[in-house]
Amino acid sequence: MSKDANLALSYPVWSPDNRLLVPAGTPITEAIVEEVVQQGKKAAFPSRALLAHGSVRDDLLGFLREPPYDFIFAEHDPKRAEVFRLIGDLNLVLPVLEILDHFRAHDFHTYRHLLLVFALSTLLSVDLVPESKQRTKEPAGAGPTHDLGKICVPRTLLHKSVPLTRSERALLQHHTLAGHLLLAYYFGKHDHLAARIARDHHERLNGIGYPRGIQSLDPMVEIVVVCDVYDALVSSRPYRPVSFDNRTALEEITALAERGEVGWNVARALIACNRRGKPHYDELQPSTEKRGVPPAGNVYGATAKDGEDGSEAKGEGSNGGNE
Ligand SMILES: [Fe+2]
Ligand SMILES: [Fe+2]
């Protein structure tokens, strides 16, 4: 946590009911996070089962019928049943469910992405985090919340179809710390898994990520990092109307592992659940051959100069993506 000493909030964190949780400029120290936790505990939020909330179950089932998830979550795969058992046990506090409702109504990309990254991360955790079978609530306990902090980012920015300027990108990147503080507030625990995932899911094992540039990741965070990038690639996005085909997306994940940004085991586990016969990840040899072609018109991770409209965009690589 040594890099935390330099970590300060560039923008304020407001809860959706307009409480200023932490003002801009505040250094993020354990004491500050603990203050936020105590505020949340006083509120004593009620909780409800995620899958019983609104149309969440039907929405998730619908998303899992679309490729490539229809293959990954094949109907009779016992791991699909295990995932639904884990997810089915999950209760979330009402304000978090209401934020999901907000995304469903106003930012459907983010809503779908949250549910799919959650389902896929839970699936990979069954093999990669074996204790999930004993401590059933821990991996699934993260919830569909890794990008919850986007509630603190203006919707116009989330929907931009041209490259972001540096200042816009800084505001977008605020979703990591905002998510951490909001989830610490809602879950009443400064190191709740969901809060740590929200903060760390843009970190990379070789230290090029944000917000802290750390090189050591919790195993569940590492899984979410890979699932986050993968879902962003195989789904359509405002900044890239055509999604990557599955083969090209998996090649991109292999390339991340080759560059040391993510771990090989997680990359292998994702590739394994896309292979016929679904081999165990430690028996899988990923192909390092690159045959896929990324879609045209993709401005993922591109940056425009402040004051420009993005027409002279400059790419920054996978880590500068808009997720
Ligand atoms: Fe994110
Ligand atoms: Fe994401």
Side-chain angles (χ1 to χ4, degrees):
M1 301 281 273
S2 59
K3 294 192 179 185
D4 282 8
N6 299 321
L7 205 60
L9 270 190
S10 303
Y11 305 90
V13 177
W14 295 86
S15 69
D17 60 350
N18 289 324
R19 279 166 199 262
L20 178 61
L21 294 185
V22 190
T26 309
I28 304 299
T29 61
E30 280 185 23
I32 291 290
V33 181
E34 193 51 40
E35 253 178 56
V36 171
V37 166
Q38 292 309 324
Q39 283 183 56
K41 279 187 176 169
K42 273 187 224 148
F45 303 110
S47 61
R48 285 192 193 151
L50 170 70
L51 289 188
H53 181 72
S55 56
V56 169
R57 174 186 281 275
D58 286 346
D59 291 339
L60 178 59
L61 289 171
F63 300 150
L64 295 181
R65 279 194 286 270
E66 297 165 15
Y69 294 101
D70 59 341
F71 182 82
I72 297 171
F73 288 88
E75 286 285 346
H76 302 295
D77 189 330
K79 281 191 200 156
R80 175 186 168 112
E82 173 77 353
V83 167
F84 272 88
R85 191 181 67 74
L86 290 165
I87 293 178
D89 281 345
L90 182 65
N91 287 314
L92 290 175
V93 294
L94 201 53
V96 168
L97 294 169
E98 287 168 351
I99 294 175
L100 286 178
D101 293 339
H102 169 90
F103 285 134
R104 189 180 192 282
H106 302 291
D107 184 3
F108 200 76
H109 280 302
T110 296
Y111 174 72
R112 180 180 183 276
H113 175 66
L114 285 169
L115 286 177
L116 285 171
V117 169
F118 175 51
L120 187 57
S121 305
T122 304
L123 179 76
L124 298 194
S125 77
V126 171
D127 281 341
L128 290 166
V129 189
E131 63 265 39
S132 67
K133 287 178 179 160
Q134 289 87 46
R135 294 184 295 123
T136 51
K137 297 216 170 169
E138 179 77 340
T145 51
H146 76 281
D147 276 334
L148 198 88
K150 285 187 175 173
I151 195 75
C152 296
V153 176
R155 222 181 300 156
T156 47
L157 199 57
L158 299 175
H159 292 170
K160 271 192 88 168
S161 59
V162 295
L164 303 182
T165 65
R166 284 192 189 282
S167 53
E168 286 172 333
R169 185 168 302 286
L171 180 50
L172 179 68
Q173 292 183 349
H174 174 59
H175 81 278
T176 53
L177 293 178
H180 178 228
L181 292 165
L182 281 172
L183 289 164
Y185 174 68
Y186 289 130
F187 289 134
K189 213 174 156 201
H190 76 277
D191 63 346
H192 191 283
L193 179 61
R196 287 186 285 122
I197 286 174
R199 180 189 60 197
D200 295 340
H201 71 275
H202 287 282
E203 300 287 1
R204 297 293 184 262
L205 289 173
N206 61 358
I208 67 163
Y210 69 88
R212 295 184 292 164
I214 53 171
Q215 289 180 273
S216 160
L217 298 179
D218 176 286
M220 266 316 291
V221 173
E222 225 187 299
I223 292 171
V224 174
V225 167
V226 169
C227 297
D228 183 34
V229 175
Y230 176 70
D231 182 65
L233 293 172
V234 296
S235 305
S236 64
R237 281 290 182 275
Y239 52 83
R240 188 201 55 231
V242 180
S243 56
F244 280 58
D245 66 73
N246 199 37
R247 182 193 168 89
T248 311
L250 292 171
E251 286 180 5
E252 293 282 325
I253 297 296
T254 304
L256 287 180
E258 287 172 323
R259 293 198 296 269
E261 294 188 33
V262 303
W264 272 110
N265 278 352
V266 187
R268 277 207 292 260
L270 176 63
I271 296 165
C273 65
N274 276 283
R275 284 257 173 102
R276 207 171 303 142
K278 312 229 170 147
H280 193 266
Y281 71 89
D282 59 12
E283 293 161 8
L284 183 119
Q285 275 307 322
S287 160
T288 51
E289 190 188 346
K290 302 286 182 281
R291 282 191 288 162
V293 183
N298 176 28
V299 297
Y300 183 70
T303 303
K305 286 180 190 164
D306 283 328
E308 287 182 351
D309 63 1
S311 54
E312 291 179 40
K314 172 178 163 295
E316 281 194 340
S318 64
N319 195 51
N322 295 359
E323 292 312 310

